[in-house]
Amino acid sequence: MAAQRIAARAAACAAFVVLAVTSGTAVRADDDIESLPAEQIADRSRDALLDVRSLHLRAQGDLGENRSAMTVDLTLDRNGNCVGDVDLGRDQGKVEIIKRGDGVWLKPDADFWKNQVPVGGSAFDAVLAGRYMKGDASDSRLRPVVEACDLDTFRELVSDNAATGGTFTKGEVTTVDGVRAVPVTRTLHDRRLTAYVDTGGEHLPVRITVAGDGADAAVDFSGFDKPVPTATPPADETVDVSALLGRAPSQS
C-alpha cells in the first residue's frame, strides 16, 4: 500500500538528519555549553534528545538521492501515539496520520490517490468520501505507520547509528524561533549538517539542517515532553482498512 512507503519515508526523513549530525562520543560537561568544543555540544544535544518522552518535529525539504521534497509534521511519544501528516509536495498528495493505542487512522487526500495509486485510486477516494481508513496496529500493512509514530523507534535509530568521522565546527550564537542557540556543523561526504542547540535548559536541538550533495532540508523540534493530542475520529468518520482494500477497483 502506498501509505506504507509514505510512513517509512516520514521516519527516515527526520532520522537521517539527526543521525548524521551526532558524533557518538558520550561526553558530559558543565552547563556553559557555549564554551564547549563542537563535538561535545553535539553529544550533549543528542543525549538530551534521547531523554525526552514526547516531541513535535517538522521535517521539510529535499534529502537528495532522487528523493523528492516533502514535509513531515508529527507529534509523537514513547507509547507509540502520534498525530500529524506527510505532504509529498508538488501536489503529489498528503496523508493525515493518527495513532492512538492500538488504533491507526489514515486520511489520504484526492491528490494522493490520484498520483500514488493511479490505478483505482479515484475509486478508493470515492468510497472514503473524506473519511479515515482505520486499522489495527497489529496489521502488517500498517507496520511502517506504527513504527514511524513511535518515538522509541526514532530514539533507537539515533542511539544505535550515531556516526563518527567528519569535521565539526562551532558557529556564533544565534536565535531560532526565539530560542538562543549555538550552531554546530558537521561536514561529511560533501554534506553540511548543522544542529542549532538550545543554550539553556537541557540543551536540546531546536533545528537541524542538511545541505550539499543534492540535499536541502531541515528538521525543527519543539513541544518536548508535551502530551500527544488524544482526539481520534468517531466511528461514522472511518472506514475499516480491510473492507476498503478488499474492494478491488476496476483497472479499465
Side-chain angles (χ1 to χ4, degrees):
M1 184 169 66
Q4 291 177 299
R5 296 194 299 274
I6 301 309
R9 289 175 65 188
C13 184
F16 171 86
V17 179
V18 175
L19 297 182
V21 81
T22 55
S23 69
T25 305
V27 177
R28 301 299 298 177
D30 58 37
D31 282 335
D32 185 15
I33 194 167
E34 296 174 38
S35 68
L36 296 179
E39 285 192 53
Q40 291 187 23
I41 295 174
D43 292 330
R44 293 286 296 275
S45 178
R46 182 202 65 229
D47 291 347
L49 188 63
L50 289 173
D51 283 342
V52 302
R53 302 204 64 81
S54 62
L55 58 78
H56 174 255
L57 66 83
R58 179 176 175 81
Q60 54 188 333
D62 182 1
L63 290 178
E65 300 176 1
N66 297 318
R67 298 174 180 174
S68 60
M70 61 185 294
T71 300
V72 178
D73 196 313
L74 289 176
T75 300
L76 62 165
D77 65 22
R78 292 195 194 181
N79 293 323
N81 302 307
C82 83
V83 174
D85 58 65
V86 177
D87 188 335
L88 300 181
R90 299 180 183 177
D91 298 320
Q92 290 299 300
K94 181 176 181 178
V95 181
E96 294 181 35
I97 300 173
I98 299 174
K99 163 73 170 55
R100 192 76 195 174
D102 294 329
V104 181
W105 294 260
L106 301 174
K107 184 194 281 188
D109 66 6
D111 284 338
F112 177 90
W113 288 117
K114 175 183 176 181
N115 294 291
Q116 309 305 318
V117 191
V119 177
S122 59
F124 287 134
D125 189 31
V127 171
L128 283 172
R131 294 174 292 179
Y132 290 82
M133 297 186 293
K134 182 181 185 300
D136 192 272
S138 62
D139 189 326
S140 61
R141 294 169 297 187
L142 299 177
R143 184 174 301 160
V145 179
V146 173
E147 292 178 350
C149 279
D150 193 342
L151 184 58
D152 276 342
T153 299
F154 181 80
R155 291 172 65 251
E156 287 173 8
L157 286 170
V158 174
S159 180
D160 294 346
N161 296 280
T164 58
T167 302
F168 283 80
T169 56
K170 180 173 63 174
E172 296 293 328
V173 173
T174 185
T175 301
V176 177
D177 292 336
V179 177
R180 194 167 186 272
V182 55
V184 176
T185 298
R186 180 183 182 212
T187 303
L188 181 67
H189 303 315
D190 298 322
R191 284 190 172 177
R192 298 178 306 281
L193 301 114
T194 302
Y196 293 83
V197 180
D198 188 348
T199 59
E202 300 299 320
H203 308 312
L204 286 153
V206 292
R207 176 175 297 164
I208 298 177
T209 64
V210 56
D213 195 23
D216 183 11
V219 180
D220 286 340
F221 296 95
S222 61
F224 299 108
D225 292 325
K226 294 183 178 179
V228 175
T230 60
T232 58
D236 61 357
E237 293 183 14
T238 68
V239 175
D240 181 83
V241 65
S242 294
L244 177 70
L245 298 181
R247 303 189 182 204
S250 171
Q251 300 188 23
S252 60

